Amino acid sequence: MFDADAFAALERSGARTVSWEEARSSEHDLILTASPKGALRVLSGPGVLLPHGAGFNKTVSGDGSPCIPSGLDPHYLLVDGEPWAALHALAHDEQLIRLAEYCPSAAARAAVVGDPTLDRLIGSLAHRENYRSALGTGERRLIVLTSTWGPESLLARRPELPKELISRLPYDEYQLALILHPNEYSRISAFDLSRQLAPALSAGLALARPYGEWAALLIAADAVVTDHGSTALYAAALGRPVIGAYDGGSELIPGSPMAQMLTQVPRLAKAADLVRVLPAAEAHDTRGSAEAAFALPSQALQRLQSELYSLLRLRPRTVPVAPHPLPHPAAPRRPAAFAVRAEVAGCRISIERFPSFTSEAVHHLAAEHPEADQRHVQSASVLWRRARPASPAPHTSTWTAAGWTARVLEDAPGCRTAAAILSPERCLVRHRSAGPFSVRIEPCTTSDRVLRTDPGAVVSAVHAWLSSTPQWTLPVSLVCDIGPLTVRVRLAPADEADLTYEL
């Protein structure tokens, strides 16, 4: 039912595949599966059921026995009244108690080993800064939405939530990401997902690919908004703040770790409440909820090794086993147009940037040339262009910063300010009435870090200041509040190096 990407995942892993006919005709030394469903039980050899997700928190209507998750369901665990798996590996003693209640004979073959996925998360914690760097998060707060699959999932019930959130959260203060259950990728297809989520993706939404990358997003996250899917329990185990966005239904099992956590964390009723709800989530320690789902942290691979080698009748290897680091997430699309809110108080400017489709009250539209669509380019008050690496081609033709800024003001009559972004700390800005001048952006420095903001936001701040300041003389020093950073900006007469800089 959800096997559309199965072979692609196996190919990426480097695994060798055999035909089903060959598999059925062979005797196997060990058969590993994360699900009791399907026809694997007909294969010959000792079977092992590995932990699948963070425990057993939900049921699926019309699937197996009513109100029993498949991982505990005798309908899937027994063949002719006997367990078909030689080992049922579990993540917590609570799961063993529940398995004994529903299927005692399978519980007799079960062992609590911990959760190898959680161990991989723990083993990858040191890569948090690398994951945030790959995402381009910077000092922004990364809010991750997690959606399970099925009719009660976040994306099924609140499909507009990603767009609503990203349209309200200032871009330079918050970053938004979405973790979607692989079943939904398989059911909907990546093509249709990109179409359905197009506005949010164009505004910078990071969409985790379905294998491995989701876990890296949890490590990078500052907070998680979740439905009743168990992914959020992994976030809780890492100590991440959790906000509930589940509207209730028949799938969540009362008393399960996920159900208990959702009764304790704050709830997001509407997108506009996120900023208000976030402090309450940060004040609530979710790790206690995770302790009810995961036992033996950082021990799963060693315990699994011992159990599996026992089934193979082999002595375990003496080489230590450790989880591989998670893959780096893909960078989200960089927005090419912003609706900008600006507040000017003397030489201090506060800037908040939103997607162009926001309903927030704003000061002006700013767009990147030529990446923004023509509609935004023609209606933007601010246009900017980023310098590109030199072309390796033998014949080239490039604009100078002075030439491009002059030309773009000719081509776009509605534009008031054009800027060539030469580096993270250096711009040439040309105002329609004030002419060209150089802009220098001081990075924020602490004792051990250097923090930079997007120069595009600084250009909007300069534009807002020029619009509200009828008389001024260069040089001028400005203070710009952009997201969590306060940067100092110096405007000076355009120097020759900036004017002739090749874009």
Side-chain angles (χ1 to χ4, degrees), residues 16 54 175 205 325 346 395:
R16 183 174 67 89
Q175 185 179 33
L205 175 73
H395 302 284

Side-chain angles (χ1 to χ4, degrees), residues 12-34:
R12 282 194 296 270
S13 76
R16 183 174 67 89
T17 60
V18 299
S19 68
W20 181 243
E21 291 74 18
E22 181 181 347
R24 289 195 63 174
S25 64
S26 303
E27 177 75 22
H28 304 284
D29 297 304
L30 205 59
I31 302 161
L32 307 178
T33 177

Side-chain angles (χ1 to χ4, degrees), residues 464-490:
W465 182 79
L466 292 172
S467 302
S468 64
T469 309
Q471 294 183 344
W472 45 274
T473 303
L474 297 178
V476 174
S477 293
L478 305 178
V479 177
C480 302
D481 297 314
I482 302 170
L485 301 182
T486 296
V487 296
R488 297 190 176 276
V489 177
R490 182 172 173 81

Side-chain angles (χ1 to χ4, degrees), residues 51-65:
H52 171 195
F56 308 102
N57 300 287
K58 55 180 283 193
T59 62
V60 180
S61 177
D63 184 26
S65 305

Side-chain angles (χ1 to χ4, degrees), residues 443-475:
C444 299
T445 57
T446 66
S447 60
D448 53 0
R449 297 177 73 84
V450 178
L451 312 175
R452 291 184 173 89
T453 192
D454 181 0
V458 173
V459 171
S460 278
V462 171
H463 169 78
W465 182 79
L466 292 172
S467 302
S468 64
T469 309
Q471 294 183 344
W472 45 274
T473 303
L474 297 178

Side-chain angles (χ1 to χ4, degrees), residues 27 51 59 68 124 140 145 162 175 226 233 245 255 272 279 284 388 406 426:
E27 177 75 22
T59 62
I68 302 178
S124 299
R140 295 181 292 172
L145 307 180
Q175 185 179 33
T226 184
L233 284 169
H284 178 75
R388 293 166 174 78
R426 178 181 168 198

Side-chain angles (χ1 to χ4, degrees), residues 42-367:
V42 306
L43 299 179
S44 179
V48 177
L49 268 170
L50 297 171
H52 171 195
F56 308 102
N57 300 287
K58 55 180 283 193
T59 62
V60 180
S61 177
D63 184 26
S65 305
C67 302
I68 302 178
S70 59
L72 304 174
D73 193 349
H75 177 78
Y76 292 114
L77 301 180
L78 303 180
V79 174
D80 297 328
E82 292 295 323
W84 59 265
L87 171 65
H88 197 149
L90 300 171
H92 196 279
D93 296 289
E94 180 267 349
Q95 298 168 16
L96 182 58
I97 294 171
R98 292 170 66 194
L99 180 61
E101 177 185 350
Y102 292 118
C103 193
S105 55
R109 301 186 182 183
V112 176
V113 300
D115 188 297
T117 299
L118 176 63
D119 288 3
R120 194 176 185 195
L121 278 156
I122 294 172
S124 299
L125 280 172
H127 295 266
R128 173 176 163 86
E129 287 197 12
N130 292 337
Y131 299 149
R132 290 174 68 89
S133 177
L135 291 165
T137 306
E139 292 300 299
R140 295 181 292 172
R141 299 166 94 178
L142 175 58
I143 310 298
V144 175
L145 307 180
T146 72
S147 178
T148 187
W149 63 283
E152 295 182 11
S153 70
L154 180 70
L155 206 60
R157 286 188 167 178
R158 303 174 71 173
E160 293 299 315
L161 186 61
K163 179 185 175 184
E164 290 172 356
L165 283 172
I166 210 163
S167 72
R168 291 179 173 275
L169 297 175
Y171 176 80
D172 298 294
E173 190 171 351
Y174 295 93
Q175 185 179 33
L176 194 67
L178 174 63
I179 293 172
L180 193 60
H181 195 287
N183 283 4
E184 289 297 274
Y185 269 95
S186 190
R187 181 182 69 84
I188 300 174
S189 82
F191 174 82
D192 275 340
L193 275 174
S194 65
R195 179 178 57 83
Q196 293 174 21
L197 297 169
L201 291 171
S202 68
L205 175 73
L207 179 62
R209 291 172 292 198
Y211 302 102
E213 194 172 292
W214 65 271
L217 279 178
L218 292 186
I219 291 175
D222 293 297
V224 170
V225 178
T226 184
D227 55 17
H228 60 308
S230 61
T231 300
L233 284 169
Y234 289 109
L238 301 178
R240 302 293 181 261
V242 174
I243 298 170
Y246 179 54
D247 295 330
S250 60
E251 293 182 353
L252 185 61
I253 297 175
S256 64
M258 192 65 202
Q260 291 177 349
M261 184 170 73
L262 287 177
T263 64
Q264 299 168 6
V265 299
R267 183 175 179 277
L268 185 69
K270 54 183 185 293
D273 293 342
L274 180 64
V275 175
R276 178 182 59 80
V277 169
L278 192 54
E282 292 171 336
H284 178 75
D285 191 344
T286 57
R287 285 172 290 190
S289 300
E291 289 173 359
F294 306 111
L296 309 171
S298 302
Q299 299 182 42
L301 292 186
Q302 291 88 342
R303 288 176 176 270
L304 269 176
Q305 183 188 57
S306 177
E307 296 284 352
L308 299 183
Y309 272 81
S310 177
L311 289 173
L312 289 165
R313 297 190 178 92
L314 295 173
R315 180 178 299 172
R317 299 172 65 190
T318 57
V319 178
V321 287
H324 296 296
L326 292 160
H328 284 59
R333 193 179 310 170
R334 190 170 64 195
F338 292 98
V340 184
R341 177 189 290 160
E343 294 182 6
V344 180
C347 289
R348 193 177 193 112
I349 309 100
S350 175
I351 290 293
E352 290 183 321
R353 297 190 296 172
F354 302 90
S356 59
F357 53 78
T358 188
S359 59
E360 299 287 317
V362 296
H363 178 268
H364 65 268
L365 179 69

